[in-house]
Amino acid sequence: MNFDFSDEQKQLRDEARKFLAEKCPPKAVRGVLDGKAPYDRELWKGLAGMGFLGVAIPEAYGGTGAGHLELCVIAEEMGRALAPVPFSSTVYLAAEALLMAGSEAQKQKWLPLIASGAAIGTLALFEGKGNPSPQAIKLSASGNNLNGVKKPVPDGAIADFVIVAARTGSTGRGGDISLFLVDMKAAGVEAKPLTNVDPSRGQAELTFKNCKAEPLGPANEGWSIVSQVLDRAAVLMAFEQVGGADRTLEMGRDYALDRIAFGRPIGSFQAVKHMLADMYVSATLARSNCYYGAWALSTNASELPEAAAAARISATQAFQHCAKNNIQVHGGMGFTWEFDCHLYYRRSNATALALGSLSYWEDALIERMRKRNAA
């Protein structure tokens, strides 16, 4: 079985890397980090123009219809460049939920807007600290009216629409949860930006007060849909993390070859060699798991739940490990604002929590493997 990407997909990767190198240098990331703009609007328009936002959206809904393998390729390059745009919230979460459970009218309305860059979407799942679970969802739906608070919501302050997980029953099980689609222009919803470790990826608190919403998918099947969306997003987010891990490894290697101490490059010292070797091993192992996840995602294989959890775990560990060690390789300079090391360190910690903590995915992997072995 060949898990490598095709020549066409590799060409797409090269095009994406060239585009992002030109349009999204570290200066652009810092512009969002230091400035008042919540995201890079010009980059967002450029991504839409390149067809990257709609790469996994069928042509019938305004996308290119290429597929999820191509989206994995794009995700990796977005992670390398630390693109300060609402890509993951819109493409991995909102678009996937629409494709999976949206009505034909909802797909016709929102998917072309996503593909063209005219709409930003997100998923409102969390309600404070803790990992995803049906029991953690307290926001309630009475009829089609929502009441409650969601936080943190990725890119919630800039979203045009949001898919909300709400409680519609009282048994405390997954069957109590339904999904709803809310146009952020509707009355009864307020967004408040939140501070977080990586300001280039915004988060918000959304408050719903008798807010009118559209049902998304069958009633009381929201948790099943959310679980599938999270698995799919986990693979895509893992590719972002692997892209970031690879880039920090390159940064550390280049600095180790250029920095001279005691008359020789610091990369010649055994301690630095070992550090870089460990970074390489963790990034390579994560990539292997990601490739397996990409295969499972693109074929909708029954192994997707386990493959997604494995990719998510290994990529989270690799990105955090490489981002931290990149700072160490740079020494005292690595801790300064002027160097770009902290940009990747911020992103590594932000993405580690984006879909639930590392321990959540570790527990999920164990449980999923146990069930498969028992079957």
Side-chain angles (χ1 to χ4, degrees), residues 130-167:
N131 286 311
S133 73
Q135 296 76 23
I137 296 175
K138 307 301 180 185
L139 181 144
S140 64
S142 177
N144 291 336
N145 292 326
L146 304 183
N147 287 279
V149 177
K150 291 288 188 179
K151 67 175 183 180
V153 180
D155 299 306
I158 58 175
D160 296 290
F161 73 97
V162 57
I163 295 168
V164 184
R167 179 165 297 281

Side-chain angles (χ1 to χ4, degrees), residues 125-126 128-133 152 203 230-231 234 237 241 308-317 320 348-365 368:
L125 175 61
F126 293 94
K129 296 180 181 179
N131 286 311
S133 73
Q203 294 182 345
L230 288 178
D231 283 345
M237 184 70 76
Q241 293 170 302
R312 172 67 173 164
I313 292 165
S314 58
T316 297
Q317 293 173 332
Q320 289 190 304
S348 72
N349 286 287
T351 54
L353 296 173
L355 303 173
S357 70
L358 182 61
S359 62
Y360 167 81
W361 288 98
E362 289 172 337
D363 291 343
L365 177 60
R368 292 168 184 183

Side-chain angles (χ1 to χ4, degrees), residues 160-178:
D160 296 290
F161 73 97
V162 57
I163 295 168
V164 184
R167 179 165 297 281
T168 50
S170 58
T171 67
R173 299 175 181 175
D176 292 339
I177 308 302
S178 300

Side-chain angles (χ1 to χ4, degrees), residues 300-340:
N300 202 26
S302 63
E303 295 92 341
L304 177 58
E306 295 96 325
R312 172 67 173 164
I313 292 165
S314 58
T316 297
Q317 293 173 332
F319 194 12
Q320 289 190 304
H321 176 243
C322 291
K324 180 180 71 175
N325 278 7
N326 181 41
I327 294 175
Q328 298 299 323
V329 170
H330 280 73
M333 295 298 294
F335 289 87
T336 63
W337 187 264
E338 288 75 14
F339 271 59
D340 295 329

Side-chain angles (χ1 to χ4, degrees), residues 215-248:
L216 183 87
N220 300 322
E221 292 186 18
W223 189 252
S224 174
I225 298 167
V226 165
S227 297
Q228 294 177 68
V229 170
L230 288 178
D231 283 345
R232 301 170 82 80
V235 175
L236 298 166
M237 184 70 76
F239 270 93
E240 272 202 28
Q241 293 170 302
V242 163
D246 274 358
R247 181 63 192 124
T248 53

Side-chain angles (χ1 to χ4, degrees), residues 287-303:
R287 180 174 295 278
S288 177
N289 281 291
C290 285
Y291 277 26
Y292 182 47
W295 166 80
L297 173 61
S298 65
T299 60
N300 202 26
S302 63
E303 295 92 341

